[in-house]
Amino acid sequence: MNGEASLLCVNCGWRGDPEELRYTCPRCGEPLTIVYEEDYLAERARELREGRGRGVWRYSAFLPFPDDVRRVTLDEGSTPLHESKQARGLRLKNEGLNPTASFKDRGMTVAVTDALRRGASRVVCASTGNTAASVAAYAARAGMRSYVLVPSGAVARGKLAQAVAHGSKIVKIRGGFDEALREVLRLVSEDSGLYLLNSVNPYRIEGQKTLAFEVWEQLGGSVPDAVVLPVGNAGNISAIWKGFRELVEAGLARSAPRMIGVQAEGAAPLARAFEGGLSELRPVDSPQTYATAIRIGRPASWRRALMAARESRGAIISVSDQEILRAQIDLARVDGVFVEPASAAALAGYRRAIAEGLLDPGESVVAVLTGHGLKDPDAVAMFGSDEVEVEPRDLTRELSAST
Ligand code: AN7
């Protein structure tokens, strides 16, 4: 790799050289996408099929670095694809089993590798929590100083604990994620020494697209009929769609799955835009949901998310907090997989899509479970628990079969 990749603005068509670090289009402000020269992916298809090693870097043939790049890695990816006990054809991609317990690590290993390659020593992000935890860990590993901006109110406890543990400077911004992202974008435009690790960074998308390659491999070289996943800032749906499209472009898959993005009702600007057939986003000013990871009203990658849903003949839908909670409990108590609320939106969305006829029962569907349940231990308060405290001598009676 070198020279075969360029930066593309999917909105206005601007093109640039990735060696010149940019996150957004200088003409129109759209987050930039890394694209490869025609035929390049087809030429390297064999290397992708015969990839060595595991996880994200197994697919380095489709990543924009020379093969000898110094990787910053904690062995991300290679996550299990469980069959769900809840519906025939439904599989659960358990991204909570990444190094910092969310899918963000796929993008972070690639973006922090890029930061190191460019000699960056200070990295920054705005985050609802998981990006912050991942930035904190990878920056520590790379020996960089990290700054994480989080909403002052609503960050899950586990995520904050990770940022503290890894030694980030944590700045709680009064306001929500959207305000924090706006300020961090302003900050990096004024201070070229700060490397930005939000998903407007095109290297994050390159790392996260590897989920598609992994699913394809786990299904024996085929793709599912559909992928269902939670959508917040909309980087992940853009990335996974890009991965599946590249498989098709490389001649490794005949078609790509329908992409079904799921938002929480109180933070659903993309679902509204999709349902209304709109070509512009109407941001939500004070987004609300108990799935704090996706409490986002002004998704940066909104245009690419709508493109993914429309080009794939998928959809972006919304579900209530109650449906999310129900799905979270069922994932834990029926499938044995403990996820954070945002991730449960994937199962809630699957159920909605079946009910509305967007998916047929029995179709092959992968639900992306984006983050581990231990990230947000307080959410469990709403599950209802079965616990008692007893004197030691009362234990036998307490555990007798009748109770
Ligand atoms: C568990 O950490 O935005 O649509 O700052 O943590 O790519 O934003 C997290 C997002 C889904 C949505 N599931 O992904 C952040 C942040 C979980 C998440 C999403 C997030 P995007």
Side-chain angles (χ1 to χ4, degrees):
M1 165 58 41
N2 280 329
E4 290 93 351
S6 53
L7 288 171
L8 172 70
C9 171
V10 298
N11 182 39
C12 77
W14 181 89
R15 272 185 186 259
D17 179 356
E19 289 315 299
E20 232 174 274
L21 179 62
R22 277 181 199 280
Y23 311 106
T24 53
C25 177
R27 269 204 323 235
C28 73
E30 182 75 11
L32 292 169
T33 306
I34 291 175
V35 293
Y36 301 89
E37 270 178 24
E38 216 186 318
D39 299 332
Y40 175 78
L41 298 175
E43 280 160 20
R44 299 202 72 177
R46 220 183 103 208
E47 284 170 73
L48 191 85
R49 215 171 34 222
E50 296 170 0
R52 275 191 306 267
R54 19 188 343 268
V56 166
W57 294 97
R58 177 174 175 78
Y59 310 107
S60 59
F62 283 24
L63 295 176
F65 298 120
D67 292 334
D68 61 355
V69 73
R70 203 168 128 214
R71 298 171 184 171
V72 181
T73 179
L74 290 161
D75 277 347
E76 43 296 308
S78 287
T79 58
L81 187 64
H82 314 291
E83 280 182 19
S84 173
K85 284 171 58 196
Q86 302 190 59
R88 189 167 50 85
L90 176 62
R91 291 183 174 84
L92 310 170
K93 185 65 173 155
N94 193 353
E95 289 289 284
L97 297 187
N98 273 296
T100 76
S102 87
F103 73 99
K104 304 284 181 182
D105 297 338
R106 287 183 188 272
M108 217 53 76
T109 180
V110 172
V112 175
T113 291
D114 182 63
L116 187 70
R117 184 177 76 101
R118 293 177 195 267
S121 59
R122 296 156 64 232
V123 296
V124 67
C125 72
S127 178
T128 57
N130 278 326
T131 299
S134 188
V135 164
Y138 284 82
R141 181 125 187 123
M144 296 169 185
R145 179 82 175 119
S146 63
Y147 308 89
V148 303
L149 282 63
V150 296
S152 55
V155 180
R157 262 196 308 142
K159 304 174 189 180
L160 212 49
Q162 289 175 289
V164 172
H166 294 298
S168 285
K169 175 159 181 91
I170 300 163
V171 183
K172 296 182 176 171
I173 302 241
R174 295 188 190 109
F177 169 84
D178 301 298
E179 290 76 36
L181 181 61
R182 187 188 65 212
E183 292 312 311
V184 91
L185 285 168
R186 183 181 56 75
L187 213 61
V188 296
S189 73
E190 290 167 2
D191 178 352
S192 60
L194 267 180
Y195 187 97
L196 178 65
L197 285 170
N198 279 101
S199 60
V200 296
N201 181 321
Y203 291 91
R204 281 272 313 275
I205 302 298
E206 290 307 284
Q208 285 173 214
K209 78 182 180 186
T210 62
L211 182 138
F213 305 158
E214 219 171 88
V215 165
W216 165 79
E217 223 177 332
Q218 287 171 314
L219 295 178
S222 69
V223 304
D225 295 317
V227 172
V228 189
L229 77 164
V231 172
N233 210 27
N236 209 28
I237 189 171
S238 310
I240 294 173
W241 174 237
K242 184 176 196 284
F244 281 114
R245 265 195 4 244
E246 289 185 356
L247 285 175
V248 173
E249 204 179 313
L252 292 165
R254 267 200 299 276
S255 61
R258 279 128 64 208
M259 302 295 298
I260 301 185
V262 188
Q263 299 202 288
E265 259 169 26
L270 279 164
R272 300 283 125 73
F274 183 85
E275 284 155 15
L278 309 182
S279 54
E280 293 294 323
L281 187 83
R282 293 210 198 105
V284 170
D285 277 336
S286 302
Q288 290 305 330
T289 166
Y290 114 99
T292 55
I294 52 172
R295 193 181 279 180
I296 294 174
R298 194 180 284 270
S301 296
W302 67 269
R303 197 184 302 273
R304 290 186 298 188
L306 287 177
M307 289 169 77
R310 285 173 182 155
E311 285 172 19
S312 73
R313 300 173 198 280
I316 301 180
I317 61 178
S318 63
V319 293
S320 68
D321 278 6
Q322 223 164 4
E323 290 172 273
I324 293 175
L325 175 62
R326 187 69 251 163
Q328 193 189 10
I329 294 172
D330 292 342
L331 282 165
R333 297 189 177 170
V334 181
D335 283 311
V337 181
F338 182 28
V339 302
E340 67 167 283
S343 310
L347 175 63
Y350 172 83
R351 291 171 170 171
R352 253 307 164 98
I354 293 273
E356 289 176 7
L358 286 169
L359 288 173
D360 292 328
E363 275 196 292
S364 161
V365 179
V366 170
V368 185
L369 305 181
T370 45
H372 200 285
L374 289 172
K375 291 275 192 176
D376 192 354
D378 299 317
V380 176
M382 287 192 281
F383 280 36
S385 74
D386 185 3
E387 60 185 85
V388 288
E389 186 174 326
V390 297
E391 295 299 332
R393 63 174 179 279
D394 295 333
L395 187 61
T396 309
R397 180 156 41 96
E398 194 55 49
L399 266 58
S400 68
S402 63
T403 61

